[in-house]
């Protein structure tokens, strides 16, 4: 039986489609490319290509080498490195996360920092965890209300923490949320001393979490591994397994703990 070709999906925003066409065209050439050539390869009118290229130069997706010639910009490399690091930590963490979930029967989360929030990038869970998943993969949470977020804040210097508090206003979600800077600073001191962080129903009532950090080969904190459970089920005995699992993932990424 002859298979029908799958129709190519197109974006719903035309300017994005045109921008991608220009990026694809630029990727074909190792050297700077003229506007005329880019217009020809992308199928865009020169004036349209010129306008979009100008915007991409401003946002550093494209570099203008000299009037009328362009090449891919450094921001693509920067974003590519971010994607690479996140993909690699997911790949390194997945089997360890499944093992930890099997042992605890609770939801295991992998999160990274993005600005003033954490982003959930992977999860190991089952219906037997007894808790609905509160934040889906791709979901976000404030740094000061999440266990992984507190890990990231704990490695910031005091000035950066105060700046974060000013930007966000330390907005709370419920009566347990930390909304006072002095209290947050005390909490972060505990995180540094303990080497792990907790969320005691500060983001969602009825849900408690604890998190340990994952570091790359340079020693930089790049992700947090956390256990989420109904508030009455989270057990302190899981802390050792959590920290050991985070350390194993870090070791897989090339991190060597200092004596």
């Amino acid at each position: 039986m002859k298979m029908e070709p799958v129709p190519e999906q197109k974006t719903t925003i035309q300017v994005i489609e045109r921008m991608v066409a220009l990026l694809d065209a630029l990727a074909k050439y190792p050297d700077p490319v003229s506007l005329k050539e880019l217009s020809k390869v992308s199928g865009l009118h020169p004036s349209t290509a010129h306008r979009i290229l100008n915007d991409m130069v401003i946002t550093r997706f494209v570099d203008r080498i000299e009037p009328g010639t362009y090449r891919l910009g450094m921001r693509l490399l920067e974003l590519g490195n971010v994607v690479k690091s996140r993909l690699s930590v997911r790949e390194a963490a997945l089997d360890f996360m499944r093992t930890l979930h099997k042992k605890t029967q609770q939801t295991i989360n992998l999160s990274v920092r993005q600005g003033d929030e954490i982003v959930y990038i992977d999860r190991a869970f089952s219906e037997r965890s007894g808790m609905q998943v509160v934040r889906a993969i791709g979901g976000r949470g404030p740094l000061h209300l999440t266990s992984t977020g507190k890990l990231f804040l704990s490695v910031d210097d005091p000035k950066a923490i105060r700046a974060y508090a000013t930007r966000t206003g330390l907005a709370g979600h419920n009566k347990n949320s930390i909304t006072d800077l002095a209290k947050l600073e005390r909490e972060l001191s505990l995180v540094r001393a303990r080497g792990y962080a907790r969320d005691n129903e500060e983001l969602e009532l009825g849900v408690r979490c604890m998190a340990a950090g994952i570091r790359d080969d340079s020693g930089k904190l790049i992700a947090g591994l956390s256990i989420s459970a109904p508030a009455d089920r989270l057990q302190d005995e899981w802390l050792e397994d959590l920290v050991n699992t985070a350390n194993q993932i870090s070791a897989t990424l090339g991190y060597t703990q200092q004596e």
Side-chain angles (χ1 to χ4, degrees):
M1 183 175 67
K2 183 179 179 181
M3 298 293 292
E4 293 293 328
V6 178
E8 184 181 349
Q9 290 185 320
K10 293 190 175 182
T11 61
T12 57
I13 304 176
Q14 190 179 53
V15 69
I16 293 178
E17 184 179 335
R18 291 173 172 178
M19 183 180 75
V20 171
L22 286 167
L23 291 173
D24 286 342
L26 284 162
K28 296 178 186 292
Y29 299 89
D31 299 316
V33 193
S34 69
L35 173 62
K36 181 179 180 181
E37 184 69 12
L38 288 172
S39 174
K40 178 182 176 182
V41 174
S42 66
L44 298 175
H45 190 278
S47 63
T48 300
H50 185 258
R51 184 177 67 252
I52 296 173
L53 285 166
N54 278 344
D55 285 343
M56 288 199 288
V57 166
I58 293 171
T59 54
R60 296 173 51 241
F61 285 106
V62 172
D63 291 336
R64 183 186 289 112
I65 306 308
E66 57 185 43
T69 62
Y70 304 86
R71 69 179 179 192
L72 293 176
M74 289 300 293
R75 189 172 185 190
L76 291 170
L77 178 62
E78 294 166 2
L79 293 175
N81 285 334
V82 171
V83 172
K84 180 182 177 182
S85 67
R86 290 177 184 174
L87 287 175
S88 63
V89 74
R90 288 177 67 181
E91 292 165 0
L94 188 55
D95 286 343
F96 292 108
M97 291 172 65
R98 288 170 175 165
T99 299
L100 186 58
H101 166 66
K102 187 175 181 180
K103 187 167 187 176
T104 64
Q105 292 300 308
Q106 303 303 320
T107 301
I108 310 301
N109 311 289
L110 183 67
S111 313
V112 297
R113 180 176 186 169
Q114 191 171 85
D116 291 338
E117 299 175 307
I118 62 161
V119 181
Y120 298 89
I121 62 172
D122 217 335
R123 174 171 282 124
F125 73 101
S126 66
E127 297 300 323
R128 289 178 294 175
S129 67
M131 181 185 74
Q132 285 188 327
V133 175
V134 177
R135 292 285 189 275
I137 294 174
R140 296 167 178 269
L143 296 179
H144 65 291
L145 301 183
T146 56
S147 53
T148 292
K150 291 175 186 177
L151 289 175
F152 280 104
L153 282 175
S154 74
V155 299
D156 281 351
D157 62 39
K159 183 178 179 181
I161 294 169
R162 290 193 295 271
Y164 167 83
T166 300
R167 285 195 306 274
T168 64
L170 296 181
H173 281 207
N174 58 60
K175 62 184 178 64
N176 297 320
S177 299
I178 295 177
T179 58
D180 175 73
L181 177 57
K183 187 175 180 180
L184 176 62
E185 289 173 332
R186 290 193 296 272
E187 177 82 359
L188 297 180
S189 292
L190 287 175
V191 172
R192 295 184 197 102
R194 292 169 173 169
Y196 63 86
R198 293 180 180 272
D199 157 19
N200 289 311
E201 300 184 70
E202 295 157 49
L203 182 64
E204 300 286 344
L205 290 174
V207 179
R208 294 171 61 208
C209 305
M210 48 192 182
I214 296 171
R215 296 178 180 272
D216 65 12
D217 58 348
S218 70
K220 180 182 178 182
L221 180 67
I222 59 169
L225 186 72
S226 63
I227 300 177
S228 299
D232 59 349
R233 291 193 191 178
L234 194 71
Q235 299 177 29
D236 283 347
E237 66 188 54
W238 294 333
L239 266 173
E240 184 177 357
D241 290 324
L242 174 66
V243 172
N244 286 341
T245 301
N247 288 342
Q248 288 175 314
I249 297 169
S250 297
T252 300
L253 296 170
Y255 175 63
T256 303
Q257 286 184 287
Q258 301 297 317
E259 295 296 334

